[in-house]
Amino acid sequence: MRWDAQALSPNRGPASDDGGSSAPGPAPAMDALLPLAGLVRSISTPEFSGVTFHEVTAKSVLNKVPSGSAMPFEWTVNPYRGCSHACVYCFARKSHTYLEFDAGRDFDSQVVVKINAAEVLRRELAKPSWERHQVALGTNTDPYQRAEGRYALMPGIIRALTDSGTPFSILTKGTLLARDIPLLKHAATMVPVDLGISLAMTNEDLAELVEPGTPSPRARLKLISRLRDAGLGCGVMAMPILPWLTDSDEALDSLFSELAKAGATGVTAGALYLKPGTREWYMQWLAAQHPELVGKYRRLYGQGYVSKEYSTWLTGRITHFKAKYGYTRTSGFSHRNARPAHGAAAPEVGAGTLPGQQPLF
């Protein structure tokens, strides 16, 4: 594939293989890019049909979480903005509007790539003022989304963190993580590392509808097993549980049973929340796929979170299945448990107690 030949400009579509011009694919949203700092070029390619990549050079990639935040980490790195995983429930959708993209289709198809992320991070970590706080990856958009197969930013990021003595955590749905297992094994001998896989359902058909760009649940279960076979810990973020879709005893039993078989070291689970940006997109999907649930969701959700009664009920069911499959005294995943591969587990984070994550980039 001739990647460079697919570059876009505000006045033309992607180049065709025969040297002529071709009609643009899905809207590249060029107007929104005009004020985008550090824009190098925009790429549209048949290999990633329907997705436009906007390559930028970043001045900084190490981000301080605002003081007073409820997040269990202080620093983040997000090499991508926007996410081709296209999860209809993604909490980070509203963050795309800060770039004058929309929180719906643009979030799925207009992906900003910080092509110099590893180099900039290495410089920032080398500063005398850096105190080697834990750095969280996967807090806003997935660092192992499909574009990572092309750009390969994560190996350089992992090396920079490891070489600087900085502990880190990674949360992902992307099976591209398997490529970096050797790097992660080495990193875990040098610094505390916490790895988490996001997986909240085993229903393959439903997963294809609500998270169409992600590896299947089956593929993610295999990734958990590969990480465990490599001697690495692997917690699971089983969020979001979707009311009336993935919260039945049958669905929860299947989820916890499969996670136990795969060797997950712990599970943190909780219900879907619907903040502005996410709420509109998810409800549109729900109206198309499950119109009978629209009224129920409107009654269940007030200010973005499920009712107290539902939360209490779901926490009880999660607690039951955690006990059934041996997860009562284990640590789940919350970006707070970075530790050496063979270190002692951190205290368990109670199911359903995590606050809704805010956009961090």
Side-chain angles (χ1 to χ4, degrees), residues 171-217:
L171 177 65
T172 184
K173 290 183 174 78
T175 51
L176 277 166
L177 177 83
R179 177 201 65 195
D180 294 341
I181 286 177
L183 275 176
L184 293 167
K185 286 182 65 176
H186 171 70
T189 68
M190 306 294 290
V191 298
V193 173
D194 192 21
L195 301 176
I197 302 302
S198 178
L199 178 59
M201 66 188 76
T202 57
N203 184 319
E204 301 275 332
D205 293 334
L206 180 59
E208 189 173 351
L209 290 173
V210 298
E211 41 191 41
T214 66
S216 69

Side-chain angles (χ1 to χ4, degrees), residues 85-90 93 201 203-214 242 245-246 282 285 289-290:
H85 281 167
C87 302
V88 297
Y89 53 74
C90 183
R93 287 185 172 276
M201 66 188 76
N203 184 319
E204 301 275 332
D205 293 334
L206 180 59
E208 189 173 351
L209 290 173
V210 298
E211 41 191 41
T214 66
L242 306 176
L245 292 174
T246 63
Y282 182 83
W285 173 86
Q289 297 293 331
H290 293 279

Side-chain angles (χ1 to χ4, degrees), residues 81-98:
R81 294 181 66 174
C83 186
S84 61
H85 281 167
C87 302
V88 297
Y89 53 74
C90 183
F91 68 87
R93 287 185 172 276
K94 189 175 181 180
S95 69
H96 227 42
T97 64
Y98 306 157

Side-chain angles (χ1 to χ4, degrees), residues 78-360:
N78 287 285
Y80 303 96
R81 294 181 66 174
C83 186
S84 61
H85 281 167
C87 302
V88 297
Y89 53 74
C90 183
F91 68 87
R93 287 185 172 276
K94 189 175 181 180
S95 69
H96 227 42
T97 64
Y98 306 157
L99 297 178
E100 299 183 29
F101 290 120
D102 69 51
R105 189 68 62 194
D106 284 353
F107 181 83
D108 303 339
S109 63
Q110 306 295 328
V111 178
V112 177
V113 184
K114 301 173 186 177
I115 56 175
N116 62 339
E119 294 82 357
V120 173
L121 178 62
R122 186 171 288 276
R123 290 199 301 268
E124 292 181 306
L125 296 175
K127 293 179 180 179
S129 59
W130 176 241
E131 298 179 350
R132 296 179 177 81
H133 297 283
Q134 179 184 335
V135 171
L137 297 107
T139 61
N140 193 60
T141 57
D142 201 310
Y144 283 102
Q145 59 180 285
R146 285 184 61 218
E148 174 61 15
R150 160 66 195 183
Y151 288 100
L153 300 178
M154 285 298 290
I157 289 171
I158 292 169
R159 290 189 186 99
L161 291 165
T162 304
D163 292 348
S164 68
T166 299
F168 62 92
S169 57
I170 300 173
L171 177 65
T172 184
K173 290 183 174 78
T175 51
L176 277 166
L177 177 83
R179 177 201 65 195
D180 294 341
I181 286 177
L183 275 176
L184 293 167
K185 286 182 65 176
H186 171 70
T189 68
M190 306 294 290
V191 298
V193 173
D194 192 21
L195 301 176
I197 302 302
S198 178
L199 178 59
M201 66 188 76
T202 57
N203 184 319
E204 301 275 332
D205 293 334
L206 180 59
E208 189 173 351
L209 290 173
V210 298
E211 41 191 41
T214 66
S216 69
R218 187 178 300 109
R220 279 176 272 169
L221 288 167
K222 290 180 179 178
L223 175 60
I224 293 168
S225 295
R226 288 190 64 179
L227 289 168
R228 299 297 291 123
D229 290 345
L232 294 163
C234 182
V236 169
M237 180 71 82
M239 298 175 74
I241 304 298
L242 306 176
W244 296 291
L245 292 174
T246 63
D247 62 352
S248 67
D249 277 3
E250 180 183 8
L252 292 173
D253 189 81
S254 175
L255 175 63
F256 280 87
S257 171
E258 292 300 321
L259 293 178
K261 291 176 185 176
T265 51
V267 185
T268 297
L272 169 74
Y273 64 94
L274 294 174
K275 289 293 189 179
T278 301
R279 186 185 187 109
E280 296 83 357
W281 192 246
Y282 182 83
M283 292 300 289
Q284 178 180 322
W285 173 86
L286 193 70
Q289 297 293 331
H290 293 279
E292 75 281 2
L293 296 180
V294 171
K296 291 183 178 181
Y297 267 75
R298 287 174 178 163
R299 290 188 292 272
L300 183 62
Y301 285 87
Q303 301 301 314
Y305 297 95
V306 293
S307 67
K308 182 178 180 180
E309 292 76 15
Y310 180 88
S311 180
T312 299
W313 172 81
L314 182 61
T315 297
R317 300 317 298 152
I318 290 170
T319 300
H320 168 78
F321 288 107
K322 290 180 75 170
K324 180 177 179 179
Y325 290 102
Y327 286 114
T328 299
R329 297 184 180 278
T330 62
S331 177
F333 183 86
S334 65
H335 280 297
R336 77 173 76 217
N337 300 328
R339 59 187 183 275
H342 302 291
E348 165 69 350
V349 179
T353 61
L354 290 177
Q357 289 186 328
Q358 302 301 311
L360 301 168

